[in-house]
Amino acid sequence: MRKINFSAGPSTLPESVLKQAQNELFDYQGKGFSIMEISHRTKIFEEVHFNAMKNAKTLYGLNDDYEVLFLQGGASLQFAMVPMNLSEGGVCEYAHTGVWTKKAIKEAQILGINVKVVASSEDSEFSYIPEVNFSENADYTYICSNNTIYGTQFQSYPQSKAPLIVDASSDFFSRKIDFSDIAMFYGGVQKNAGISGLSCVFVRKDLLERSAKKNIPSMLKYAVHSENNSLFNTPPTFAIYMFGLEMQWLLDNGGLDAINERNKAKARLIYECIDSSNGFYKGHSEKECRSLMNISFKIASTDLEPIFVQEAEKADMLGLKGHRLLGGIRASLYNAITLKQCESLAEFMREFARKYG
Ligand SMILES: Cc1ncc(COP(=O)(O)O)c(C=O)c1O
């Protein structure tokens, strides 16, 4: 029996996607080999690769102003590739909303980039999304869409005349996005859209021109990956195949508006449970910044937290221990978590509060 997996990532996959991968694992579409065992230069793999790219763009409704890149090194490598490829000797502006922006800022600083932190919520343990005002003449501006650890999420993105870069690792493909100011939108796909090993980057073509002028190693250069259709070297073929299955699953299930509605309904169940617990549970994020993806909360009496995690495991619910930096409990409700699974968690939380409250 499969358990309910609320892990923050890598995380649960849609059952139908797993089953299709299982069916095709030994013999891919009657070809006599698996997709993992063939060259990335074959027509069979290229079809998987380009189809996944096309469907990813379709889901976000992107036109040919944007290109999709498949890269490795996790979202973390993008923390360095962004400044390497896109800085132009001026100021690069960051909104600081948690651990993942801290790491991105650090990588830019290591590279000697002139980083300006224009907004921060560090004063209150990143429990809110600060107001962000970017200046017009920055080389680029940078935000993290959803803060996986603290459970906050930009409800809409700040305006930016300079090219806006968005780390969307933990709310990738979970809602429609207005791309008008966005020059680059990226994430590791292992939370909401596949398995680890693949980063998907949507990049506007004018940024590729910036990258092309840079004297940096080939593997770290967006322009090189773009010129080679993300087949410059051997890509993570199985991760791309899984990403393709996820794109198809999203399309078959109504696309990003439909998944967003489901995600809202799922998160509402858990937040209602927190809000109606008379202080037994306390959400970390301020209400207006709440994430639909990661719900971080504490239990008034902290010694109950390990008991909560233990009892949840006994009830076949996994991955609920909070991140070590924040502590408490965290439920990650990514795309593949179902409404029914959230109902089970809400019921468990109510029962736990009755028992120990
Ligand atoms: C928002 C965000 N950005 C970046 C990362 C780093 O991703 P990776 O481990 O793929 O390098 C994570 C990982 O959890 C994340 O949540």
Side-chain angles (χ1 to χ4, degrees):
M1 191 199 85
R2 279 175 59 75
K3 302 194 175 186
I4 308 179
N5 175 7
F6 293 104
S7 162
S11 41
T12 200
L13 293 159
E15 257 185 47
S16 63
V17 163
L18 272 180
K19 285 199 173 128
Q20 186 175 346
Q22 183 185 39
N23 278 338
E24 294 182 337
L25 194 68
F26 199 68
D27 184 357
Y28 179 70
Q29 298 184 351
K31 302 277 194 272
F33 43 74
S34 79
I35 199 74
M36 289 180 285
E37 298 169 297
I38 52 162
S39 163
H40 54 296
R41 307 283 175 209
T42 54
K43 273 227 147 22
I44 295 168
F45 180 72
E46 277 184 4
E47 203 172 293
V48 169
H49 184 85
F50 291 116
N51 210 27
M53 282 182 171
K54 181 177 84 101
N55 287 343
K57 266 177 85 171
T58 302
L59 279 162
Y60 277 118
L62 292 176
N63 61 22
D64 283 342
D65 291 347
Y66 292 84
E67 237 176 69
V68 183
L69 304 178
F70 286 159
L71 305 178
Q72 300 185 57
S76 297
L77 187 58
Q78 296 313 306
F79 300 162
M81 280 178 76
V82 165
M84 267 184 171
N85 284 268
L86 307 180
S87 65
E88 297 199 296
V91 177
C92 301
E93 295 188 346
Y94 285 71
H96 183 26
T97 52
V99 165
W100 302 110
T101 50
K102 187 173 185 186
K103 291 185 186 230
I105 290 164
K106 183 175 171 203
E107 295 303 296
Q109 284 169 337
I110 289 172
L111 288 160
I113 305 294
N114 188 353
V115 171
K116 186 168 171 204
V117 176
V118 296
S120 168
S121 50
E122 196 164 16
D123 57 351
S124 105
E125 225 184 350
F126 302 111
S127 64
Y128 66 100
I129 297 288
E131 195 188 319
V132 184
N133 292 302
F134 288 125
S135 57
E136 275 184 34
N137 48 7
D139 284 355
Y140 65 79
T141 57
Y142 185 103
I143 61 168
C144 177
S145 179
N146 180 75
N147 298 289
T148 326
I149 295 172
Y150 302 97
T152 61
Q153 184 175 26
F154 277 92
Q155 312 297 306
S156 62
Y157 294 156
Q159 288 186 337
S160 178
K161 292 241 160 61
L164 176 64
I165 316 295
V166 182
D167 171 3
S169 293
S170 53
D171 61 1
F172 227 9
F173 297 94
S174 70
R175 56 179 177 174
K176 275 250 173 73
I177 294 294
D178 175 4
F179 269 74
S180 13
D181 287 351
I182 297 178
M184 185 177 140
F185 191 76
Y186 78 90
V189 307
Q190 67 269 21
K191 300 174 192 300
N192 247 343
I195 62 171
S196 60
L198 175 67
S199 304
C200 175
V201 175
F202 297 96
V203 59
R204 216 171 54 199
K205 287 184 176 155
D206 55 305
L207 293 200
L208 292 172
E209 286 160 25
R210 274 197 205 188
S211 161
K213 286 186 241 147
K214 292 279 185 165
N215 186 23
I216 49 179
S218 309
M219 273 298 282
L220 301 177
K221 192 163 170 167
Y222 294 131
V224 168
H225 290 288
S226 156
E227 281 154 22
N228 291 278
N229 294 318
S230 300
L231 291 162
F232 174 67
N233 74 323
T234 315
T237 52
F238 191 68
I240 291 171
Y241 160 77
M242 289 299 289
F243 176 73
L245 295 187
E246 286 257 352
M247 296 298 99
Q248 194 58 55
W249 176 79
L250 283 167
L251 286 169
D252 293 345
N253 284 280
L256 298 188
D257 280 336
I259 199 80
N260 187 29
E261 286 311 309
R262 284 204 292 279
N263 287 335
K264 281 188 202 159
K266 281 153 47 184
R268 198 177 307 127
L269 285 176
I270 309 303
Y271 284 123
E272 272 171 10
C273 207
I274 292 172
D275 292 341
S276 61
S277 71
N278 291 320
F280 183 81
Y281 298 116
K282 188 175 178 316
H284 181 69
S285 168
E286 288 185 10
K287 280 193 182 165
E288 61 279 13
C289 312
R290 282 175 162 176
S291 166
L292 297 184
M293 299 283 104
N294 310 98
I295 304 186
S296 292
F297 60 96
K298 305 229 159 133
I299 300 181
S301 161
T302 47
D303 41 343
L304 284 175
E305 288 169 358
I307 300 171
F308 180 98
V309 173
Q310 246 174 34
E311 292 198 6
E313 278 179 13
K314 273 198 215 132
D316 291 329
M317 287 179 236
L318 310 179
L320 287 163
K321 190 168 184 289
H323 189 277
R324 69 199 133 75
L325 285 174
L326 186 64
I329 311 289
R330 172 173 55 173
S332 297
L333 312 181
Y334 298 129
N335 287 343
I337 289 280
T338 64
L339 187 68
K340 195 157 171 281
Q341 291 173 327
C342 290
E343 280 163 1
S344 301
L345 176 60
E347 185 45 40
F348 171 83
M349 285 172 67
R350 277 191 293 270
E351 187 49 39
F352 190 85
R354 259 195 298 275
K355 190 164 153 195
Y356 293 100

